[in-house]
Amino acid sequence: MLRGRSLSVTSLSGLPRWEVAELPVEELLLFEVAWEVTNKVGGIYTVIQTKAKTTADEWGDNYFLIGPYFEHNMKTQVEQCEPVNDAVRRAVDAMNKHGCQVHFGRWLIEGSPYVVLFDIGFSAWNLDRWKGDLWEACSVGIPYHDREANDMLIFGSLTAWFLKEVTDHADDKHVVAQFHEWQAGIGLILSRARKLPIATIFTTHATLLGRYLCAANIDFYNHLDKFNIDKEAGERQIYHRYCMERASVHCAHVFTTVSEITAIEAEHMLKRKPDVVTPNGLNVKKFSAVHEFQNLHAMYKARIQDFVRGHFYGHLDFDLEKTLFLFIAGRYEFSNKGADIFLESLSRLNFLLRMHKSDVTVVVFFIMPAKTNNFNVETLKGQAVRKQLWDIAHSVKEKFGKKLYDALLRGEIPDMNNILDRDDLTIMKRAIFSTQRQSLPPVTTHNMIDDSTDPILSTIRRIGLFNNRTDRVKVILHPEFLSSTSPLLPMDYEEFVRGCHLGVFPSYYEPWGYTPAECTVMGIPSVTTNLSGFGCFMQEHVADPTAYGIYIVDRRFRSPDDSCNQLTQFLYGFCKQSRRQRIIQRNRTERLSDLLDWRYLGRYYQHARHLTLSRAFPDKFHVELTSPPMTEGFKYPRPSSVPPSPSGSQASSPQSSDVEDEVEDERYDEEKEAERDRLNIKSPFALSHVPRGKKKLHGEYKN
């Protein structure tokens, strides 16, 4: 067992530091419960899917995921098989014999973890009885009209039933169960109410009430300690859900959340400080060729340029080699995701670029799904015109090439005035006339159902960014997810991200932030905020985030106008970078991917499980706590080479983006920087508890 096995070691500074000891996984069973197992709804799906390989490598056949059964997902993502573990096999058989429908198999993702899936609809006839069980357990009632909460009750009841069957047949093995979000929380509540011998962890990725309050444009972070929680939840008709979430938090042996900023929020919203912060990671795949990600950027950038040629036909009076592609992506939460502050900063950026007579153009994509009728006819026409011009250019080129070839064979230099005949000139003139358009290039690629009230379109009308010729900032709203089968922009999301220059995510409410994390792993710089978990994580672990392509907007201690000005300066500074400076920055950004690898961040989850076992089974598992855990960890130092922040060594006006700097900085040694960063990431780091008794500061201004 773990008794006598200490988890504390001494760091180089002489202060105690946390280290992860090996768990006796052969004596344990680990179950991870979430509504998004094989069921893609939001970010939790990404957490579980990407973490599965690391966890499966550690736990082997003793690791199981529990989720809901949906026929389509089962057919496309799960390979059915028989359970190898005797306790799990007996639990599945027992529930199936008693009128449930439990499916077992391997989830076809990296790591191929085992999954246990419950058919919710098949067991819905038990709903009233299970509502009574929940009321007896924690005095929480669920309204009949809240179908989602009713589904979660069925799912939770089946989970608790399954875990009881497992523990009844687990012999000498101890069970650890981790529950993600309120949707899985009822299983935890019922398990504790029935005194099942399991060690429980509850992880919240965002508090229910926090998301609702921020979406309502309430000054959230300034008034965290002033909200009447029960009143706010009741007014939004989510009081029963809030009670389920809060009961789950207080029933768990260990409570975790994904970031320090969400830990502060949970302390006030859910009335319990998280025991451990477990940041979200990704599966990072390194290319065998060091700079392959740079080649991919060039390749996919060319495909985005093709789309832009069609979208702006007739108005293509800007140089695509001096054009930067920016984007924002995610759920259509106008304020929470920071689309409001982003649009305002784009208006100010447009003014700055025009005032300085810049030859840099910025094309900004909003990839945020909304209700649409179909593609915009003008947008489709633009791509058709572009293809027509491409075909004409190729046919003329072939004729030109044949005449040139014949002349060279005769030993002659052809007369360039006669090599194109009258028909060729006529075709080209007609092609030029076909590119004329009376209207401006559209700001949206689709016909929006709520065009007049759409927040993004309404803001675009207010700030006047209509893609005029004089505008240096062009805006394109693409209100659906990207797909390689799209007739408009045939690219997957990853390909599109690699082709862009900068991802901008100035979120007001972002418990973690997978979009900037994905940019970082792909070597694309990004903008985030100190109200996002990702931004706080980078501030903690990188001495100069801007030098590594992570621009962090202060939305916590600045007024909205100041935050907007700061974002504008970040964007303007990025526009002033030379091509070489952007390449240097992308190299540094990609090196940060090691920070986000589950092979490192998985240690936080390991520590949470240690702590859970020591609390659930104190007589058998023991964690020696010699001092309060530290929150400081490894830190990427400020680059010694110049520019430490690429915007810091630039001229006062934007430079051409396609011309290399004539004066190369001799101090920039990429190999030395990369080697230092590689050594730094390998050094031991602290596992993050939330410090107790430490006064937290809230923002000073409304955002």
Side-chain angles (χ1 to χ4, degrees):
M1 299 299 182
L2 286 182
R3 181 170 294 281
R5 190 181 297 176
S6 172
L7 293 185
S8 65
V9 296
T10 301
S11 68
L12 295 177
S13 63
L15 296 172
R17 174 170 285 187
W18 284 82
E19 185 183 73
V20 178
E22 292 294 326
L23 275 172
V25 294
E26 66 282 353
E27 304 171 19
L28 304 169
L29 294 176
L30 173 62
F31 294 90
E32 206 159 349
V33 188
W35 184 253
E36 296 193 33
V37 170
T38 75
N39 176 38
K40 187 169 185 177
V41 178
I44 301 171
Y45 177 91
T46 305
V47 175
I48 293 168
Q49 182 207 27
T50 56
K51 185 169 65 66
K53 184 180 187 307
T54 305
T55 313
D57 288 346
E58 179 190 356
W59 288 76
D61 289 343
N62 289 350
Y63 174 52
F64 304 87
L65 290 160
I66 297 177
Y69 167 83
F70 294 101
E71 185 177 3
H72 174 72
N73 294 341
M74 186 76 184
K75 287 181 176 178
T76 57
Q77 298 185 52
V78 180
E79 179 186 18
Q80 284 193 284
C81 63
E82 288 296 317
V84 175
N85 184 276
D86 183 62
V88 173
R89 179 177 54 77
R90 289 189 182 188
V92 171
D93 291 344
M95 292 183 69
N96 284 333
K97 285 178 184 177
H98 285 84
C100 300
Q101 199 166 85
V102 183
H103 300 264
F104 188 88
R106 282 193 180 273
W107 191 3
L108 299 179
I109 57 173
E110 282 193 273
S112 301
Y114 289 123
V115 289
V116 181
L117 305 177
F118 302 129
D119 191 326
I120 305 302
F122 201 79
S123 299
W125 59 277
N126 286 303
L127 180 60
D128 288 339
R129 177 165 63 87
W130 286 340
K131 280 189 176 182
D133 291 345
L134 181 65
W135 180 261
E136 289 179 10
C138 60
S139 300
V140 174
I142 299 177
Y144 71 92
H145 56 77
D146 189 344
R147 180 170 179 176
E148 184 181 6
N150 286 325
D151 285 347
M152 300 314 155
L153 173 61
I154 300 170
F155 177 55
S157 299
L158 290 169
T159 301
W161 184 357
F162 176 78
L163 290 174
K164 181 184 185 308
E165 294 290 342
V166 169
T167 54
D168 285 348
H169 302 98
D171 298 328
D172 295 331
K173 293 198 174 185
H174 294 82
V175 176
V176 182
Q178 180 165 9
F179 300 81
H180 292 269
E181 285 291 279
W182 72 273
Q183 290 98 327
I186 290 179
L188 189 158
I189 296 167
L190 294 175
S191 296
R192 293 305 303 278
R194 294 166 186 172
K195 295 182 170 53
L196 299 186
I198 61 176
T200 57
I201 308 171
F202 183 76
T203 300
T204 184
H205 298 256
T207 69
L208 264 172
L209 193 54
R211 192 179 292 281
Y212 272 85
L213 289 170
C214 287
N217 286 325
I218 285 177
D219 186 8
F220 183 64
Y221 292 98
N222 288 336
H223 296 91
L224 270 175
D225 54 349
K226 299 180 180 65
F227 288 117
N228 184 332
I229 303 299
D230 294 335
K231 176 176 176 290
E232 298 289 352
E235 288 179 350
R236 287 160 179 77
Q237 298 183 7
I238 58 165
Y239 186 69
H240 56 289
R241 296 188 183 193
Y242 167 74
C243 289
M244 290 155 56
E245 181 182 39
R246 185 164 165 178
S248 304
V249 167
H250 288 271
C251 284
H253 291 105
V254 167
F255 172 41
T256 77
T257 189
V258 296
S259 64
E260 296 284 354
I261 194 73
T262 313
I264 299 168
E265 173 190 342
E267 179 186 348
H268 291 90
M269 295 289 109
L270 300 172
K271 306 304 179 184
R272 179 177 175 181
K273 289 185 179 181
D275 301 290
V276 183
V277 171
T278 53
N280 291 332
L282 289 162
N283 279 333
V284 178
K285 296 178 181 176
K286 294 289 187 179
F287 294 105
S288 53
V290 176
H291 293 298
E292 180 61 22
F293 75 97
Q294 297 276 16
N295 299 331
L296 291 174
H297 167 71
M299 180 173 71
Y300 293 125
K301 181 180 73 173
R303 288 170 59 177
I304 297 175
Q305 287 174 335
D306 275 346
F307 168 81
V308 170
R309 289 186 179 100
H311 192 84
F312 290 93
Y313 81 93
H315 287 256
L316 200 65
D317 54 353
F318 52 91
D319 187 349
L320 281 174
E321 293 304 317
K322 299 177 183 177
T323 299
L324 301 178
F325 299 128
L326 279 58
F327 79 100
I328 182 173
R331 285 190 303 274
Y332 200 147
E333 296 179 11
F334 185 65
S335 299
N336 281 0
K337 295 296 181 184
D340 51 353
I341 188 176
F342 186 27
L343 280 165
E344 184 60 41
S345 69
L346 289 177
S347 175
R348 301 179 188 188
L349 175 66
N350 187 46
F351 171 78
L352 286 174
L353 293 175
R354 290 172 61 178
M355 184 178 68
H356 288 288
K357 295 181 171 53
S358 170
D359 59 356
V360 172
T361 302
V362 177
V363 176
V364 185
F365 294 88
F366 287 76
I367 313 295
M368 305 181 90
K371 292 180 180 179
T372 64
N373 285 322
N374 214 321
F375 293 111
N376 186 311
V377 173
E378 187 64 20
T379 306
L380 288 171
K381 180 184 175 183
Q383 298 308 310
V385 169
R386 179 192 63 79
K387 189 174 186 307
Q388 179 190 25
L389 293 177
W390 177 260
D391 293 340
I392 290 171
H394 268 263
S395 64
V396 171
K397 183 180 73 173
E398 286 183 9
K399 289 178 65 176
F400 178 94
K402 188 174 185 304
K403 290 180 180 179
L404 177 62
Y405 176 62
D406 290 340
L408 293 175
L409 285 175
R410 293 193 301 270
E412 302 173 358
I413 299 295
D415 184 353
M416 302 306 288
N417 294 320
N418 297 326
I419 203 164
L420 293 176
D421 56 31
R422 184 183 297 273
D423 289 342
D424 294 329
L425 293 173
T426 301
I427 290 171
M428 288 191 288
K429 287 177 181 178
R430 288 179 61 184
I432 291 172
F433 289 154
S434 73
T435 64
Q436 295 179 0
R437 71 198 302 181
Q438 303 303 317
S439 61
L440 293 172
V443 295
T444 178
T445 58
H446 292 60
N447 294 319
M448 305 288 287
I449 290 178
D450 298 320
D451 183 288
S452 60
T453 59
D454 182 81
I456 291 179
L457 295 181
S458 297
T459 306
I460 288 173
R461 295 185 190 103
R462 178 176 62 80
I463 62 180
L465 281 181
F466 296 121
N467 296 337
N468 285 299
R469 290 181 183 272
T470 55
D471 287 331
R472 295 273 50 86
V473 174
K474 319 284 186 180
V475 179
I476 302 173
L477 170 61
H478 187 277
E480 70 173 22
F481 287 124
L482 296 165
S483 169
S484 57
T485 58
S486 169
L488 200 61
L489 186 56
M491 300 178 75
D492 288 331
Y493 178 72
E494 180 179 335
E495 296 171 344
F496 176 78
V497 172
R498 287 191 184 277
C500 288
H501 295 91
L502 182 71
V504 185
F505 315 103
S507 304
Y508 183 69
Y509 186 78
E510 191 71 79
W512 176 246
Y514 257 121
T515 41
E518 289 165 340
C519 286
T520 303
V521 168
M522 289 185 258
I524 302 301
S526 62
V527 176
T528 183
T529 73
N530 60 352
L531 290 179
S532 78
F534 174 81
C536 295
F537 183 81
M538 284 299 171
Q539 278 184 323
E540 181 182 350
H541 295 297
V542 182
D544 184 3
T546 305
Y548 283 90
I550 309 295
Y551 298 88
I552 301 174
V553 177
D554 184 359
R555 296 202 65 181
R556 191 173 176 196
F557 300 111
R558 293 193 184 203
S559 69
D561 189 59
D562 286 345
S563 297
C564 189
N565 282 334
Q566 186 185 23
L567 176 57
T568 305
Q569 288 303 315
F570 282 154
L571 299 180
Y572 183 59
F574 190 82
C575 291
K576 292 197 295 183
Q577 290 183 23
S578 67
R579 181 171 177 268
R580 172 171 169 76
Q581 286 172 323
R582 291 201 305 273
I583 290 172
I584 292 172
Q585 193 178 56
R586 280 198 297 272
N587 285 334
R588 290 175 177 165
T589 302
E590 196 271 343
R591 289 204 299 274
L592 289 184
S593 60
D594 287 335
L595 270 176
L596 303 170
D597 197 326
W598 274 122
R599 287 175 295 177
Y600 296 98
L601 296 184
R603 304 179 195 182
Y604 290 91
Y605 277 85
Q606 289 176 319
H607 178 58
R609 291 168 195 143
H610 275 104
L611 200 58
T612 307
L613 284 166
S614 70
R615 289 182 179 178
F617 309 111
D619 57 329
K620 296 183 179 179
F621 296 91
H622 176 62
V623 177
E624 183 180 328
L625 303 175
T626 56
S627 67
M630 297 164 51
T631 56
E632 295 81 8
F634 49 75
K635 208 174 185 88
Y636 273 63
R638 187 186 305 275
S640 56
S641 59
V642 175
S645 300
S647 60
S649 62
Q650 296 157 359
S652 59
S653 60
Q655 303 171 7
S656 170
S657 61
D658 62 338
V659 180
E660 299 269 348
D661 289 346
E662 292 183 7
V663 181
E664 300 282 334
D665 195 303
E666 298 296 333
R667 284 179 289 170
Y668 175 67
D669 190 325
E670 184 188 339
E671 290 187 6
K672 284 185 179 179
E673 270 195 21
E675 181 59 27
R676 184 176 61 168
D677 287 344
R678 278 193 292 271
L679 292 173
N680 196 274
I681 189 68
K682 290 177 182 177
S683 63
F685 67 93
L687 288 163
S688 181
H689 269 237
V690 177
R692 297 190 180 274
K694 184 177 178 181
K695 178 67 176 174
K696 298 291 185 182
L697 297 175
H698 305 311
E700 297 173 351
Y701 300 98
K702 181 185 185 309
N703 259 316

PDB file of all heavy atoms in Angstrom, residues 248-262:
ATOM      1  N   SER A 248     -22.880  17.617  -4.853  1.00  0.00           N
ATOM      2  CA  SER A 248     -21.796  16.776  -5.380  1.00  0.00           C
ATOM      3  C   SER A 248     -20.445  17.242  -4.847  1.00  0.00           C
ATOM      4  O   SER A 248     -19.597  16.432  -4.454  1.00  0.00           O
ATOM      5  CB  SER A 248     -21.795  16.822  -6.914  1.00  0.00           C
ATOM      6  OG  SER A 248     -23.038  16.431  -7.434  1.00  0.00           O
ATOM      7  N   VAL A 249     -20.262  18.570  -4.826  1.00  0.00           N
ATOM      8  CA  VAL A 249     -19.004  19.142  -4.346  1.00  0.00           C
ATOM      9  C   VAL A 249     -18.748  18.756  -2.893  1.00  0.00           C
ATOM     10  O   VAL A 249     -17.634  18.359  -2.515  1.00  0.00           O
ATOM     11  CB  VAL A 249     -19.030  20.679  -4.505  1.00  0.00           C
ATOM     12  CG1 VAL A 249     -17.891  21.327  -3.726  1.00  0.00           C
ATOM     13  CG2 VAL A 249     -18.960  21.064  -5.972  1.00  0.00           C
ATOM     14  N   HIS A 250     -19.772  18.838  -2.077  1.00  0.00           N
ATOM     15  CA  HIS A 250     -19.589  18.605  -0.641  1.00  0.00           C
ATOM     16  C   HIS A 250     -19.606  17.124  -0.283  1.00  0.00           C
ATOM     17  O   HIS A 250     -19.154  16.753   0.802  1.00  0.00           O
ATOM     18  CB  HIS A 250     -20.653  19.375   0.142  1.00  0.00           C
ATOM     19  CG  HIS A 250     -20.426  20.854   0.148  1.00  0.00           C
ATOM     20  ND1 HIS A 250     -19.658  21.484   1.099  1.00  0.00           N
ATOM     21  CD2 HIS A 250     -20.817  21.820  -0.709  1.00  0.00           C
ATOM     22  CE1 HIS A 250     -19.608  22.780   0.843  1.00  0.00           C
ATOM     23  NE2 HIS A 250     -20.308  23.017  -0.252  1.00  0.00           N
ATOM     24  N   CYS A 251     -20.115  16.276  -1.169  1.00  0.00           N
ATOM     25  CA  CYS A 251     -20.104  14.833  -0.895  1.00  0.00           C
ATOM     26  C   CYS A 251     -18.765  14.191  -1.261  1.00  0.00           C
ATOM     27  O   CYS A 251     -18.427  13.123  -0.740  1.00  0.00           O
ATOM     28  CB  CYS A 251     -21.218  14.142  -1.677  1.00  0.00           C
ATOM     29  SG  CYS A 251     -22.866  14.374  -0.982  1.00  0.00           S
ATOM     30  N   ALA A 252     -18.015  14.818  -2.155  1.00  0.00           N
ATOM     31  CA  ALA A 252     -16.782  14.195  -2.660  1.00  0.00           C
ATOM     32  C   ALA A 252     -15.680  14.218  -1.605  1.00  0.00           C
ATOM     33  O   ALA A 252     -15.560  15.169  -0.828  1.00  0.00           O
ATOM     34  CB  ALA A 252     -16.323  14.925  -3.916  1.00  0.00           C
ATOM     35  N   HIS A 253     -14.856  13.165  -1.611  1.00  0.00           N
ATOM     36  CA  HIS A 253     -13.679  13.157  -0.737  1.00  0.00           C
ATOM     37  C   HIS A 253     -12.697  14.252  -1.148  1.00  0.00           C
ATOM     38  O   HIS A 253     -12.084  14.909  -0.305  1.00  0.00           O
ATOM     39  CB  HIS A 253     -12.972  11.799  -0.804  1.00  0.00           C
ATOM     40  CG  HIS A 253     -13.757  10.681  -0.182  1.00  0.00           C
ATOM     41  ND1 HIS A 253     -14.417   9.734  -0.923  1.00  0.00           N
ATOM     42  CD2 HIS A 253     -13.988  10.374   1.122  1.00  0.00           C
ATOM     43  CE1 HIS A 253     -15.022   8.876  -0.101  1.00  0.00           C
ATOM     44  NE2 HIS A 253     -14.773   9.248   1.139  1.00  0.00           N
ATOM     45  N   VAL A 254     -12.550  14.411  -2.473  1.00  0.00           N
ATOM     46  CA  VAL A 254     -11.635  15.433  -2.996  1.00  0.00           C
ATOM     47  C   VAL A 254     -12.373  16.213  -4.074  1.00  0.00           C
ATOM     48  O   VAL A 254     -13.035  15.641  -4.946  1.00  0.00           O
ATOM     49  CB  VAL A 254     -10.350  14.807  -3.568  1.00  0.00           C
ATOM     50  CG1 VAL A 254      -9.558  15.827  -4.387  1.00  0.00           C
ATOM     51  CG2 VAL A 254      -9.476  14.268  -2.443  1.00  0.00           C
ATOM     52  N   PHE A 255     -12.267  17.523  -4.007  1.00  0.00           N
ATOM     53  CA  PHE A 255     -12.895  18.413  -4.983  1.00  0.00           C
ATOM     54  C   PHE A 255     -11.793  19.071  -5.807  1.00  0.00           C
ATOM     55  O   PHE A 255     -10.852  19.649  -5.253  1.00  0.00           O
ATOM     56  CB  PHE A 255     -13.736  19.460  -4.249  1.00  0.00           C
ATOM     57  CG  PHE A 255     -14.280  20.558  -5.125  1.00  0.00           C
ATOM     58  CD1 PHE A 255     -14.788  20.291  -6.388  1.00  0.00           C
ATOM     59  CD2 PHE A 255     -14.303  21.877  -4.663  1.00  0.00           C
ATOM     60  CE1 PHE A 255     -15.301  21.310  -7.184  1.00  0.00           C
ATOM     61  CE2 PHE A 255     -14.821  22.896  -5.444  1.00  0.00           C
ATOM     62  CZ  PHE A 255     -15.314  22.613  -6.705  1.00  0.00           C
ATOM     63  N   THR A 256     -11.873  18.981  -7.122  1.00  0.00           N
ATOM     64  CA  THR A 256     -10.868  19.587  -7.996  1.00  0.00           C
ATOM     65  C   THR A 256     -11.544  20.476  -9.031  1.00  0.00           C
ATOM     66  O   THR A 256     -12.724  20.321  -9.337  1.00  0.00           O
ATOM     67  CB  THR A 256     -10.024  18.525  -8.733  1.00  0.00           C
ATOM     68  OG1 THR A 256     -10.781  17.966  -9.818  1.00  0.00           O
ATOM     69  CG2 THR A 256      -9.584  17.421  -7.800  1.00  0.00           C
ATOM     70  N   THR A 257     -10.770  21.400  -9.564  1.00  0.00           N
ATOM     71  CA  THR A 257     -11.230  22.211 -10.683  1.00  0.00           C
ATOM     72  C   THR A 257     -10.039  22.467 -11.601  1.00  0.00           C
ATOM     73  O   THR A 257      -8.915  22.089 -11.278  1.00  0.00           O
ATOM     74  CB  THR A 257     -11.862  23.528 -10.201  1.00  0.00           C
ATOM     75  OG1 THR A 257     -12.488  24.173 -11.317  1.00  0.00           O
ATOM     76  CG2 THR A 257     -10.833  24.459  -9.595  1.00  0.00           C
ATOM     77  N   VAL A 258     -10.294  23.107 -12.746  1.00  0.00           N
ATOM     78  CA  VAL A 258      -9.298  23.093 -13.816  1.00  0.00           C
ATOM     79  C   VAL A 258      -8.341  24.280 -13.796  1.00  0.00           C
ATOM     80  O   VAL A 258      -7.378  24.290 -14.557  1.00  0.00           O
ATOM     81  CB  VAL A 258      -9.995  23.022 -15.194  1.00  0.00           C
ATOM     82  CG1 VAL A 258     -10.755  21.718 -15.336  1.00  0.00           C
ATOM     83  CG2 VAL A 258     -10.936  24.214 -15.400  1.00  0.00           C
ATOM     84  N   SER A 259      -8.602  25.279 -12.976  1.00  0.00           N
ATOM     85  CA  SER A 259      -7.714  26.445 -12.982  1.00  0.00           C
ATOM     86  C   SER A 259      -7.851  27.218 -11.682  1.00  0.00           C
ATOM     87  O   SER A 259      -8.831  27.060 -10.950  1.00  0.00           O
ATOM     88  CB  SER A 259      -8.040  27.372 -14.167  1.00  0.00           C
ATOM     89  OG  SER A 259      -9.348  27.903 -14.035  1.00  0.00           O
ATOM     90  N   GLU A 260      -6.861  28.064 -11.413  1.00  0.00           N
ATOM     91  CA  GLU A 260      -6.886  28.884 -10.202  1.00  0.00           C
ATOM     92  C   GLU A 260      -8.058  29.866 -10.218  1.00  0.00           C
ATOM     93  O   GLU A 260      -8.689  30.106  -9.193  1.00  0.00           O
ATOM     94  CB  GLU A 260      -5.566  29.657 -10.068  1.00  0.00           C
ATOM     95  CG  GLU A 260      -4.324  28.794  -9.884  1.00  0.00           C
ATOM     96  CD  GLU A 260      -4.218  28.233  -8.475  1.00  0.00           C
ATOM     97  OE1 GLU A 260      -5.045  28.611  -7.632  1.00  0.00           O
ATOM     98  OE2 GLU A 260      -3.319  27.417  -8.234  1.00  0.00           O
ATOM     99  N   ILE A 261      -8.365  30.429 -11.388  1.00  0.00           N
ATOM    100  CA  ILE A 261      -9.443  31.413 -11.460  1.00  0.00           C
ATOM    101  C   ILE A 261     -10.789  30.751 -11.184  1.00  0.00           C
ATOM    102  O   ILE A 261     -11.674  31.315 -10.534  1.00  0.00           O
ATOM    103  CB  ILE A 261      -9.442  32.139 -12.830  1.00  0.00           C
ATOM    104  CG1 ILE A 261     -10.327  33.381 -12.788  1.00  0.00           C
ATOM    105  CG2 ILE A 261      -9.859  31.230 -13.960  1.00  0.00           C
ATOM    106  CD1 ILE A 261      -9.757  34.522 -12.007  1.00  0.00           C
ATOM    107  N   THR A 262     -10.950  29.494 -11.636  1.00  0.00           N
ATOM    108  CA  THR A 262     -12.195  28.767 -11.357  1.00  0.00           C
ATOM    109  C   THR A 262     -12.231  28.295  -9.915  1.00  0.00           C
ATOM    110  O   THR A 262     -13.310  28.139  -9.325  1.00  0.00           O
ATOM    111  CB  THR A 262     -12.341  27.574 -12.320  1.00  0.00           C
ATOM    112  OG1 THR A 262     -12.063  28.015 -13.654  1.00  0.00           O
ATOM    113  CG2 THR A 262     -13.743  27.002 -12.286  1.00  0.00           C
TER     114      THR A 262
END
